[in-house]
Amino acid sequence: MKASDLIALKLSKYTDYVFSGQGGSVVHILDSIYKRKDIKLIPSQNEQGASLAADAYTRTSGKLGVVVTTSGPGTINALQGLACSYYDSIPALYFSGAPVMGALKKSKNLRQLGFQEMEIKEIVKSFTKYSVRIVDVKKIYYEIEKCIFLAKSGRPGPCLIDLPDDIQRMETSEEEQEVFEPNQPKLVLDKTKLDKSIKMIEDSKRPLFIVGNGVKISKAKENIKKLLKKTGIPFAPTWAALDMFKTEDPKNIGTFGVYATRYGNFVIQNSDLLIVLGSRLNTSLIGSNAKLFAPNAKKILVDIDPAELNEENSLKIDLKINCDVGDFIESLNDKEFKWELNQSWFDKIQELKNKYPIVKEEYFNQKNTVNPYVFFDTLSNYTQDNDIIIPDASANLVWAYQAYKVSKKQKIFTALNHSPMGYSVAAAIGASLGSPKNNVIAIIGDGSMQMNIQELENIKSFKLPIKIFLINNKGYGMVKQTIDTWLGSKYVGCDAESGLSLPDFQKVTKSYGIDCVEINNHNDLKEKIEYTLNYKGSLLCDVKLDPNEKIIPKVKAGSPIHKMLPALDEEEIQSNMIK
């Protein structure tokens, strides 16, 4: 059997789609995949699009995202999605073509020997779980099985195989292939630390569970809901866990962090115990000065990755538990312990939620353009159960996670940690293929749209009924707001006046064969949202915003998270703090 045929056979056991570029060093593997009826090849317009689609395919289908790219520039293009998968803990398998083995350099001092040769295995070491170059045709199964095991085990992430062209076309057989035998000891929960965490909960007056992405990865969604019901302890979802809980749940304190809610941040700062479940508490959550984050709260951190317990973010952790967060949650459910509801704590949470709504009544009175908070609030009223909603990056991402009300069984995600502009449209392709029975909604800013606009061709070509809401504020709104804060509104390269040129997106979209509609103000907001969501086929909805719309509220770098802009006076701030 030809080696590339063997690879295609192996991949068919793990996925239904392979996302690819094209090029001289992968023609054999692509030919072998294309010939199979049990796996479909999805050629991208740009390898970046392929990598982002594969990332979202895994998130929606649960199957393995697989990417094949040619050597050199093809693989470099795909590194965007590789990074998204690594930093968000998404399993994936990448194949990078390479020149024939005789054209691979032997000296590190030689820049290049073969055409488009590149030390890709070394380049991706810092954002893959494992990378390898296959130089023995008998090790194809071994390396694929090892990559898939590592990609899915522990803290998941992508792996990469560098595959020389001549290895792909060698003759081999299943019988001569080496077999990979996994050997990874299971993490065992320290029972002493479990008991200590229970004691800390029982002694606390104002505890909070912080629910992170690790809860999703460990498939503990039902168990965490059982635990929250059992204990009655309020909770804060990170953005990655937002879609697990209804926004209106009285125990849900809302999102917290630099770009979040005032009420969520006040609650965090008033707590006396944080039980952090599978969240790395980056600076977007805790602010740039870790000493100012929940300063009166003891902190328990549960994480499968021991490196996350090393306090590199400078946040002091009182109890570190290295285990699968799912095991920790299950063990808490099995234990008999009591935390009696501190009614004054619960009352304070409700008071803060009522006092500082994200979507203010006056926003609805805006006349000439669409207010982004009103848009996302309204959109959440018209989406349906099982819809897949993919915001992009920058301001539209923040507005979505601040104002969208979760009330249905939906999947809401984006590349949260790497957060490249241009993620959502390309990702929507993988999401639509991964969950063909679900409505897929991509939400993207006009600045981000240019990054992967070429993937509109694949949406049209594969007849994917993806709905795209273009949040159009005529530039880079989040960058403008940062410049407002730090540089006195001296804009550079972020709008037309400062040198950034953007096209007529409706004309461009229609040139790809996709129809458009626009929303200019609140008068037809509900009608056009409903029209877009019910449209048969793909559609772009151009949502016109005032170019000066801001993220409100947000934390300025260096400030504690409860001191958000626009600033409240000190007397009001102190009135919200529990003495």
Side-chain angles (χ1 to χ4, degrees):
M1 181 185 291
K2 187 177 172 182
S4 60
D5 290 339
L6 190 76
I7 293 169
L9 172 64
K10 190 71 171 175
L11 293 180
S12 70
K13 312 296 183 187
Y14 294 96
T15 189
D16 297 326
Y17 294 96
V18 170
F19 300 87
S20 77
Q22 185 52 277
S25 67
V26 289
V27 293
H28 293 281
I29 187 172
L30 294 182
D31 174 70
S32 295
I33 292 167
Y34 190 73
K35 290 186 298 188
R36 296 194 67 86
K37 293 183 178 179
D38 53 2
I39 191 169
K40 187 172 178 60
L41 189 69
I42 306 296
S44 65
Q45 302 296 312
N46 180 295
E47 291 89 353
Q48 182 179 144
S51 67
L52 300 176
D55 175 88
Y57 173 76
T58 300
R59 295 179 195 242
T60 56
S61 72
K63 295 185 178 182
L64 188 68
V66 178
V67 179
V68 177
T69 57
T70 198
S71 59
T75 301
I76 283 291
N77 285 343
L79 297 191
Q80 194 75 280
L82 185 75
C84 290
S85 295
Y86 182 74
Y87 294 115
D88 278 6
S89 305
I90 304 299
L93 177 58
Y94 280 65
F95 288 91
S96 170
V100 297
M101 287 191 290
L104 297 174
K105 66 179 186 179
K106 297 174 180 60
S107 169
K108 291 287 183 183
N109 296 323
L110 186 66
R111 290 194 179 187
Q112 193 180 54
L113 181 61
F115 177 64
Q116 293 183 335
E117 182 189 9
M118 181 173 281
E119 286 283 355
I120 198 65
K121 180 172 74 76
E122 302 302 318
I123 289 171
V124 302
K125 268 188 175 179
S126 69
F127 55 105
T128 53
K129 289 191 71 177
Y130 175 68
S131 61
V132 66
R133 172 179 284 167
I134 294 180
V135 295
D136 181 352
V137 72
K138 295 178 182 179
K139 298 202 74 170
I140 287 175
Y141 265 19
Y142 177 91
E143 294 297 356
I144 291 177
E145 288 167 356
K146 182 176 181 179
C147 282
I148 292 173
F149 172 76
L150 292 174
K152 293 184 172 184
S153 63
R155 184 178 182 177
C159 295
L160 181 141
I161 294 174
D162 196 31
L163 197 60
D165 176 70
D166 51 346
I167 291 283
Q168 296 175 47
R169 45 192 162 88
M170 288 181 181
E171 290 296 313
T172 185
S173 66
E174 289 189 87
E175 290 73 25
E176 74 173 5
Q177 289 295 312
E178 290 186 32
V179 177
F180 172 71
E181 298 289 347
N183 180 22
Q184 182 167 310
K186 181 178 171 58
L187 275 176
V188 178
L189 172 60
D190 186 327
K191 302 299 183 184
T192 302
K193 290 188 174 182
L194 175 67
D195 291 340
K196 187 174 181 180
S197 66
I198 291 172
K199 180 69 165 57
M200 291 171 73
I201 292 171
E202 290 178 332
D203 290 345
S204 67
K205 300 295 184 185
R206 302 184 300 278
L208 288 172
F209 280 109
I210 292 179
V211 183
N213 193 41
V215 176
K216 274 188 176 179
I217 292 171
S218 64
K219 297 179 172 57
K221 182 177 178 179
E222 296 307 315
N223 272 344
I224 186 61
K225 289 184 176 180
K226 179 180 175 183
L227 179 62
L228 294 173
K229 183 177 180 180
K230 169 185 174 179
T231 61
I233 294 175
F235 63 93
T238 64
W239 281 3
L242 186 79
D243 57 0
M244 292 171 57
F245 309 101
K246 292 184 177 181
T247 302
E248 300 304 321
D249 185 333
K251 298 290 177 61
N252 185 347
I253 74 154
T255 59
F256 67 96
V258 174
Y259 305 103
T261 63
R262 282 194 197 273
Y263 56 82
N265 284 356
F266 273 122
V267 175
I268 288 284
Q269 296 296 83
N270 278 312
S271 63
D272 66 1
L273 176 66
L274 299 179
I275 310 107
V276 185
L277 305 175
S279 171
R280 62 190 189 86
L281 293 183
N282 62 16
T283 53
S284 293
L285 292 174
I286 69 174
S288 56
N289 188 340
K291 292 179 180 179
L292 303 178
F293 176 74
N296 299 316
K298 292 183 178 179
K299 299 167 186 77
I300 301 170
L301 178 58
V302 184
D303 206 291
I304 198 168
D305 185 348
E308 295 293 350
L309 304 174
N310 290 336
E311 301 183 4
E312 285 198 30
N313 62 356
S314 301
L315 185 68
K316 182 181 182 300
I317 303 299
D318 299 277
L319 179 60
K320 304 172 183 179
I321 303 177
N322 181 211
C323 73
D324 186 316
V325 70
D327 292 343
F328 179 80
I329 293 169
E330 186 175 1
S331 297
L332 279 186
N333 276 326
D334 290 342
K335 288 279 189 177
E336 288 298 326
F337 69 98
K338 289 184 179 181
W339 176 79
E340 294 187 9
L341 177 66
N342 177 354
Q343 190 60 45
S344 64
W345 175 226
F346 187 69
D347 290 345
K348 187 68 174 180
I349 292 172
Q350 303 315 306
E351 174 196 326
L352 290 165
K353 290 178 77 171
N354 293 333
K355 192 174 181 180
Y356 299 110
I358 280 290
V359 186
K360 298 180 179 180
E361 287 298 324
E362 59 259 35
Y363 294 168
F364 289 86
N365 299 326
Q366 190 167 309
K367 297 295 183 187
N368 297 324
T369 51
V370 177
N371 180 282
Y373 290 97
V374 172
F375 170 78
F376 283 104
D377 180 80
T378 306
L379 178 66
S380 63
N381 294 332
Y382 286 90
T383 51
Q384 302 297 317
D385 276 341
N386 300 314
D387 284 357
I388 296 170
I389 299 152
I390 312 174
D392 198 77
S394 302
N396 84 85
L397 170 64
V398 177
W399 289 324
Y401 278 97
Q402 282 182 320
Y404 187 91
K405 302 188 301 288
V406 180
S407 62
K408 308 173 184 77
K409 183 183 178 184
Q410 297 174 335
K411 193 180 291 287
I412 305 171
F413 70 87
T414 188
L416 287 168
N417 292 300
H418 188 53
S419 198
M421 295 170 67
Y423 175 83
S424 66
V425 168
I429 294 170
S432 187
L433 294 170
S435 296
K437 294 181 180 179
N438 300 69
N439 297 320
V440 176
I441 301 160
I443 304 166
I444 190 166
D446 53 336
S448 294
M449 187 69 183
Q450 282 287 79
M451 301 294 175
N452 280 302
I453 198 167
Q454 74 284 339
E455 298 307 316
L456 289 175
E457 180 62 26
N458 270 8
I459 292 175
K460 187 271 304 272
S461 175
F462 289 105
K463 297 180 173 60
L464 302 175
I466 293 166
K467 310 303 185 294
I468 303 169
F469 285 98
L470 179 74
I471 308 302
N472 193 337
N473 59 0
K474 298 182 180 180
Y476 299 157
M478 194 170 183
V479 173
K480 288 173 67 177
Q481 188 168 351
T482 302
I483 293 173
D484 290 341
T485 303
W486 292 101
L487 297 169
S489 303
K490 298 172 184 175
Y491 300 141
V492 177
C494 55
D495 61 7
E497 288 72 26
S498 63
L500 175 69
S501 179
L502 294 171
D504 183 326
F505 286 102
Q506 291 189 47
K507 287 182 178 179
V508 176
T509 301
K510 287 177 181 177
S511 76
Y512 279 104
I514 295 174
D515 206 358
C516 301
V517 65
E518 69 181 33
I519 305 176
N520 291 297
N521 51 53
H522 296 166
N523 292 336
D524 57 354
L525 181 62
K526 295 177 182 178
E527 176 189 342
K528 293 290 180 62
I529 286 177
E530 191 171 24
Y531 174 82
T532 301
L533 295 177
N534 292 327
Y535 187 85
K536 302 299 181 185
S538 55
L539 183 73
L540 181 137
C541 181
D542 191 356
V543 184
K544 306 292 190 179
L545 268 59
D546 185 319
N548 295 313
E549 289 287 4
K550 299 289 192 292
I551 295 167
I552 302 172
K554 69 179 289 290
V555 177
K556 183 179 178 180
S559 298
I561 63 170
H562 64 286
K563 292 189 176 181
M564 306 184 81
L565 300 175
L568 305 177
D569 64 55
E570 191 62 28
E571 184 178 350
E572 181 174 352
I573 290 173
Q574 291 307 317
S575 72
N576 294 319
M577 305 302 291
I578 298 174
K579 302 298 190 288

